[in-house]
């Protein structure tokens, strides 16, 4: 069996090579990654959708089956956190700068594409459906299935909180299980590092653009982007030297409080009736279409639609898979003592409902403007996508305050995500040490910064999405294997209980 330090050396080496390649020649890296991603999406896109939908159906089955009564821990163990605190921490784990970045931009981008093929009212409806689908139950089922598997084997069977633990636990001593387990840990590290590096790059883009707006500047220069990046590094490096405790939790909760305040502010001071109607209709369209949409691959459409499907839906599904190990470990840690039924209902439905409200509010204003003759926000999605959210806030009262709050929330989301990711990466790369040495955390913090620099140099959000997809592709198959391990483990426990 490979030693933990071998895993750390191999993973650090691969991430360092990708980061250095990106800094030295980002265009060749993006071109290479794009070719692999496009070929995989073309030949295996059906499997990505099948896997994501399978994880959702599997989670729902467990919640409403007899297995739902099984507790993640001892049979008499109580949850460590209250339900309200637990749900708040779920938001902090899986929802971050992406919500701020795409709040207005994504619905408008879909609207702009679909309106070329359908009446505008249909385009608006389908744009909200696509956005809610990308950020809804499928995303959280990917997170939840990974988290549930790790939590079950860790708290019920006493394994380490490693991706490989379920595989090695079910097949002890098997050489193939050792090898597959090692590879699973390795790919989890790669997926997390590239995924968090990409999100950090998008956060830098948005924070820099927000500062430019506050300063009355039309464009964002390289100097400002560099200053924002260095400020983020300066904020997260000291935090890597101390234990991951209540301080970081407070920062995450503060960011979420700002986000919740922003959505409430938008609904109250925007076209309230229109936005509430958008939220309600968006919820209804999503509920009636979520399962069928999960199996739709747009086979019979033209090349434009196929490309849109790859660039958005497939990319999102793979993006969530890239974050799956990171979010999974965090969610598993905070879910001890809950039943499988409580876990699934909380992890899947609470964040999904918030996403529908979020995009209904922000996306609703964007669509309201697009449908009523003013197209400035729509234009921003094609010329300066980082500025769309700030341009919307500028249309409402107290825009200076809300812009500053958005910049602060984005900054906090990124800092807390990088610190948490460095801890998780340190845990994985040291073979399961839940408190990896500060030196290891600093190394991972530095490499995450290096990856972020590479993606910032690409200068393109689309390039960032391609690089994130590259890191996550192999983990698609590992996610399915973990779900299979969970069902086998639960069946074994059910048979043992029946024999007593």
């Amino acid at each position: 069996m490979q030693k933990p330090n071998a895993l750390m050396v191999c993973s650090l080496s691969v991430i360092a090579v990708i980061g250095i390649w990106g800094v030295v020649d980002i265009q060749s890296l993006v071109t290479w990654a794009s070719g692999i991603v496009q070929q995989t999406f073309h030949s295996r896109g059906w499997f990505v959708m099948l896997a994501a939908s399978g994880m959702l159906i599997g989670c729902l089955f467990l919640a409403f089956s007899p297995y739902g009564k099984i507790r993640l821990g001892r049979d008499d163990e109580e949850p460590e956190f209250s339900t309200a605190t637990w749900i708040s921490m779920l938001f902090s784990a899986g929802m971050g700068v992406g919500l701020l970045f795409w709040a207005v931009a994504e619905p408008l981008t879909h609207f702009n594409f679909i309106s070329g093929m359908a009446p505008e009212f249909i385009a608006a409806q389908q744009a909200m459906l696509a956005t809610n689908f990308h950020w809804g139950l499928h995303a959280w089922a990917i997170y939840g299935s990974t988290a549930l598997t790790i939590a079950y084997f860790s708290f019920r069977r006493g394994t380490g909180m490693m991706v490989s633990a379920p595989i090695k636990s079910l097949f002890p001593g098997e050489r193939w299980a050792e090898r597959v387990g090692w590879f699973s840990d390795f790919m989890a590290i790669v997926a997390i590092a590239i995924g968090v590096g990409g999100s950090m790059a998008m956060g830098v883009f948005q924070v820099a653009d927000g500062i430019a707006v506050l300063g009355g500047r039309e464009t964002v220069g390289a100097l400002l982007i560099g200053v924002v990046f260095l400020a983020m590094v300066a904020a997260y490096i000291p935090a890597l030297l101390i234990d991951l405790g209540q301080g970081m939790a407070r920062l995450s909760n503060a960011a979420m409080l700002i986000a919740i305040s922003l959505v409430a502010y938008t609904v109250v001071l925007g076209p309230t009736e229109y936005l509430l109607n958008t939220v309600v209709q968006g919820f209804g369209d999503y509920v009636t279409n979520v399962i069928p949409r999960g199996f739709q691959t747009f086979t019979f459409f033209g090349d434009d639609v196929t490309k849109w499907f790859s660039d958005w839906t497939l990319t999102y599904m793979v993006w969530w898979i890239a974050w799956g190990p990171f979010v999974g470990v965090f969610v598993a840690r905070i879910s001890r003592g809950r039943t499988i039924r409580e876990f699934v209902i909380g992890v899947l439905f609470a964040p999904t409902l918030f996403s529908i409200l979020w995009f209904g509010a922000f996306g609703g204003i964007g669509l309201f403007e697009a449908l009523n003759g003013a197209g400035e926000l729509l234009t921003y999605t094609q010329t300066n996508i980082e500025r769309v959210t700030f341009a919307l806030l500028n249309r409402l009262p107290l825009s200076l305050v809300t812009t500053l709050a958005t910049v602060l929330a984005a900054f906090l989301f990124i800092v807390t995500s990088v610190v948490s990711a460095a801890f998780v990466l340190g845990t994985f790369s040291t073979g399961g040490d839940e408190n990896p040495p500060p030196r290891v955390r600093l190394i991972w913090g530095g490499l995450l910064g290096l990856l972020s620099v590479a993606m910032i140099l690409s200068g393109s959000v689309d390039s960032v999405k391609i690089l994130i997809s590259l890191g996550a592709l192999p983990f698609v198959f590992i996610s399915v294997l973990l779900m299979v391990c969970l069902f086998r483990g639960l069946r074994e426990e059910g048979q043992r209980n029946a024999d007593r």
Side-chain angles (χ1 to χ4, degrees), residues 11 72 101 108 110-111 145 190 223 270 276 330 368 386 423 445 449 475:
S11 56
L72 300 174
F101 191 98
L108 283 180
H110 297 325
F111 171 80
S145 62
V190 173
L223 178 61
L276 292 178
F330 178 80
F368 178 82
E386 294 89 356
F423 270 80
F475 204 78

Side-chain angles (χ1 to χ4, degrees), residues 49 133-134 298 308-318:
M49 296 304 297
F133 177 79
H134 293 156
F298 297 90
W308 171 86
F309 173 66
S310 295
D311 290 347
W312 287 96
T313 303
L314 288 180
T315 297
Y316 263 120
M317 295 302 109
V318 173

Side-chain angles (χ1 to χ4, degrees), residues 333-462:
R333 282 181 176 176
I334 66 174
S335 301
R336 184 171 191 139
R338 298 198 174 272
T339 65
I340 289 178
R341 182 171 294 119
E342 289 175 326
F343 177 95
V344 172
I345 292 174
V347 170
L348 265 64
F349 291 101
T352 297
L353 290 173
F354 181 82
S355 293
I356 292 173
L357 174 61
W358 178 269
F359 286 106
F362 285 95
I365 290 183
L367 293 172
F368 178 82
E369 180 186 284
L371 291 170
N372 287 278
E376 186 181 359
L377 292 178
L378 198 59
T379 301
Y380 272 126
T381 63
Q382 303 168 60
T383 60
N384 188 356
I385 200 167
E386 294 89 356
R387 186 158 295 199
V388 181
T389 300
F390 299 117
L392 179 144
L393 294 174
N394 195 45
R395 285 154 169 71
L396 300 175
L398 302 175
S399 60
L400 181 64
V401 175
T402 54
T403 297
L404 184 61
T406 302
V407 170
L408 178 60
F411 189 90
L412 292 176
F413 274 132
I414 288 300
V415 170
T416 54
S417 293
V418 172
V419 172
S420 301
F423 270 80
V424 172
L425 288 167
T427 296
F428 281 178
S429 61
T430 55
D433 185 351
E434 295 188 11
N435 189 25
R439 176 177 57 85
V440 174
R441 294 179 238 151
L442 282 174
I443 291 172
W444 277 115
L447 284 178
L448 289 173
L450 179 63
L451 283 171
S452 175
V453 169
M455 297 188 188
I456 289 170
L457 290 175
S458 73
S460 165
V461 174
D462 290 336

Side-chain angles (χ1 to χ4, degrees), residues 221-396:
L223 178 61
L224 178 57
I225 290 176
V227 170
V228 170
F229 170 76
L230 291 176
M232 285 189 176
V233 172
Y236 75 69
I237 288 296
L240 295 175
L241 299 174
I242 60 176
D243 290 338
L244 186 64
Q246 294 299 316
M248 296 309 296
R250 290 193 186 99
L251 290 177
S252 294
N253 290 337
M256 277 309 305
L257 180 61
I258 293 173
I260 292 171
S261 300
L262 282 172
V263 74
Y265 164 88
T266 303
V267 170
V268 172
L269 294 183
T272 305
E273 181 181 354
Y274 184 90
L275 298 183
L276 292 178
N277 281 328
T278 300
V279 170
V280 172
Q281 178 161 341
F283 175 80
D285 289 339
Y286 178 72
V287 169
T288 55
N289 286 280
V290 59
I291 297 299
R293 188 65 173 250
F295 293 96
Q296 191 167 0
T297 58
F298 297 90
T299 306
F300 308 113
F301 291 77
D303 291 341
D304 288 347
V305 176
T306 302
K307 185 178 185 304
W308 171 86
F309 173 66
S310 295
D311 290 347
W312 287 96
T313 303
L314 288 180
T315 297
Y316 263 120
M317 295 302 109
V318 173
W319 199 342
W320 305 137
I321 289 170
W323 276 68
F326 165 41
V327 179
V329 169
F330 178 80
V331 173
R333 282 181 176 176
I334 66 174
S335 301
R336 184 171 191 139
R338 298 198 174 272
T339 65
I340 289 178
R341 182 171 294 119
E342 289 175 326
F343 177 95
V344 172
I345 292 174
V347 170
L348 265 64
F349 291 101
T352 297
L353 290 173
F354 181 82
S355 293
I356 292 173
L357 174 61
W358 178 269
F359 286 106
F362 285 95
I365 290 183
L367 293 172
F368 178 82
E369 180 186 284
L371 291 170
N372 287 278
E376 186 181 359
L377 292 178
L378 198 59
T379 301
Y380 272 126
T381 63
Q382 303 168 60
T383 60
N384 188 356
I385 200 167
E386 294 89 356
R387 186 158 295 199
V388 181
T389 300
F390 299 117
L392 179 144
L393 294 174
N394 195 45
R395 285 154 169 71
L396 300 175

Side-chain angles (χ1 to χ4, degrees), residues 103-144:
V104 192
E106 182 170 346
L108 283 180
T109 301
H110 297 325
F111 171 80
N112 187 55
F113 175 74
I114 299 170
S115 61
M117 300 175 289
E120 287 190 340
F121 71 94
I122 295 294
Q125 181 183 26
Q126 290 300 311
M128 289 306 304
L129 174 59
T131 303
N132 288 331
F133 177 79
H134 293 156
W135 290 81
L137 292 174
H138 284 75
W140 284 95
I142 291 170
Y143 288 163

